[in-house]
Amino acid sequence: MARVVVDVPLAHLDRPFDYAVPEKLEDTVQAGCRVRVRFHGRLVDGVVWELGNSTDFAGALQPLSHVPSGEPVLTPQVARLVRTVADRYAGTASDVLRLALPPRRAAAEKRESPTPDALPEPPDPAGFARYTAGPALLDALAEGRPARAVWTALPGEDWPARLVELCRAALSGRRGALVVVPDGKDLDRLAAAAAGLLPAHSFTVLRADDSPEKRYRSFLAASRGAAQVVLGTRAAMFAPVRDLGLVVVWDDGDDLHSEERAPYPHARDVLVQRAWLDDCAAVVAGTSRTAEGALLVESGWAHELVADRTVLRAAAPRVQALGEDFELARDAAARSARLPSLAHEAARKALAADTPVLVQVPRRGYVPSLACARCRAPARCAHCAGPLGISPRPGPGGTRIPACRWCARPAATFDCPHCHGTKLRASVIGESRTAEELARAFPGAAVRTSGSTSGVLASVPGGAALVVATPGAEPVAEGGYGAALLLDSWALLGRADLRAGEETLRRWMNAAALVRPASAGGHVVVAADAGHPVVQALVRWDPAWLAARELADRRELGFPPATRMASASGSPAALAEFLEALRLPDGADLLGPVPERPRPGQEGERERYLVRVPRAAGAALAHALAEVQGVRSAKKVPEHVRVQLDPLDLV
């Protein structure tokens, strides 16, 4: 008999079902292969979870209807991971399997997956010699030991080469490796580095923009064990790597690592779970550091992989802050036409030295938030410390008063805990800058743009030019940039977002890391108050300090990752029914409701609640939420409640 997980999106059916294996299919059916079964009177797809010789079902088992292929696409290790992720995020195994398994292509299954001729030798440790424990990490990977590290890369580091060297070390010890990066631009750089450092056919690349057949061929190369190194974006976090010895996530603070489909897992958390389940090495890497990375170090689960301050100072560019500039902060559009003198001078010198200048500007469309009018600190709710915003619902007399975006409590009065200011102001909303305005400020200079509207550039030549880019779209310059201008800082720092400071530093450091060292004239100018903690972390190039500070602040206020949070959104009536059936664990804190921002295709009024529990109660919260979803599914309740654990966006 075969235990089959059917592709049915109903929470109360989240378990394998037993089916008889007909004698004619006994030689074809394998654990992990795709099948077609009859379920509730209709044919549906499924995956064989496991094979067995007995069943607890009292009646006669229905036979498998069809076996499209005997190819075992679901390995036992990935099956265990699928169940773990489903339980962690209050989802179902069928939801996770849709993320883990690409659609089948028969032509791809008929092709052989080439294997490498030989395993490589361990990599040259010179690349990691600048880091205190770098060579020791390579040795541990070559020996198959489960080393765990949070790596903060030096500015100017050739991080794709370093990540491939980690994979080569694991491969030399006959272990597989999996690397997940945020986007296609990063994946292209990583794949190019792998082509030069790894044997042919020893690695495969899983990218979302490949054709379905090519993507499936790459998937099969991993599942068959032909390629033991897998490189990809977030969908690759479930890749079936054989003899997994290393998992790596690069730039884990990037929101592209968060899956947009149920049950909304995050690549970093999935890879940490894989490292624990498979007892393998793990590296959480980036130019900056998240509070989640700081928690991994603080808990002892991972060790820091950093360079000495002497090495850091030699590699880093000179960073200067402009200080407070309230006039420019009030008028964000003025920055592009009227650059502060320090930024103008830094750009002029870099262009005169025939080096490119990077100008980073925020994306458009951030939701306006409120801040203290005196010190610009984000305004927080006195009850739950959530961000204050302007309520979309008019109050008495048609006026709109500040209210918490988490618990919806109005804030009729405000007292800033930092400076005791009593007035609020709207934070700056970022706007895209135009290349024409910068060209007027620097006549004669070539101007290039890189972003979602104009297209993302992978690289630019090393000559004098202005390169205007949005965060994440900064191209690599040949020889490095001579200067970088980080403008419109309050558009980033003033966002009503739990991760505003952490995310701002990540974006700034990713851009500043592309600038030449100070010894070669590299200069970074950030348009922000020099006394702000995020600016201080950039000036000192100390992301670990800010991450530890963020973690301590969030622990004091009860924010993730010190706690676990879940959001439940739906119509008011559906939410009322949902919460009435929900059995929250001890210590849970229910916040809301607040009006939910409409999503594309949604109609009618929708609200959202947040549930906050101690981190130790996270599994109990996920179980309680999944239980309610199962009951509602069994009752065929027509209105769906969207449940998401550990959402990145809490506003």
Side-chain angles (χ1 to χ4, degrees), residues 616-642:
L621 174 62
H623 177 76
L625 293 169
E627 188 177 52
V628 175
Q629 291 286 61
V631 171
R632 290 174 58 82
S633 172
K635 292 181 177 179
K636 299 182 179 179
V637 178
E639 291 190 63
H640 177 67
V641 172
R642 184 177 186 268

Side-chain angles (χ1 to χ4, degrees), residues 586-604:
D586 294 338
D589 190 11
L590 184 65
L591 307 173
V594 294
E596 185 185 40
R597 295 201 302 267
R599 300 177 183 273
Q602 287 182 347
E603 297 180 358

Side-chain angles (χ1 to χ4, degrees), residues 217-239:
R217 285 204 310 269
S218 299
F219 176 86
L220 291 177
S223 68
R224 292 170 175 174
Q228 283 192 280
V229 175
V230 175
L231 316 174
T233 50
R234 67 171 181 244
M237 58 186 164
F238 295 103

Side-chain angles (χ1 to χ4, degrees), residues 34 62 72 81 91 119 151 157 160 168 177 184 213 241 254 261 264 274 288 293 303 316 329 452 492 494 601 621 623:
R34 290 182 167 99
Q62 289 195 33
L81 176 67
L119 295 177
W151 173 38
E157 179 65 270
R168 177 166 176 157
E213 182 171 343
V241 181
D254 196 312
R261 293 172 292 172
Y264 319 106
R274 290 197 77 163
S288 187
H303 297 282
S452 57
L492 298 174
L621 174 62
H623 177 76

Side-chain angles (χ1 to χ4, degrees), residues 361-366 429-433 453 470:
V361 291
R363 294 188 179 95
R364 298 182 58 184
Y366 290 132
I429 305 172
E431 295 183 12
S432 60
R433 301 296 176 261
T453 56
T470 53

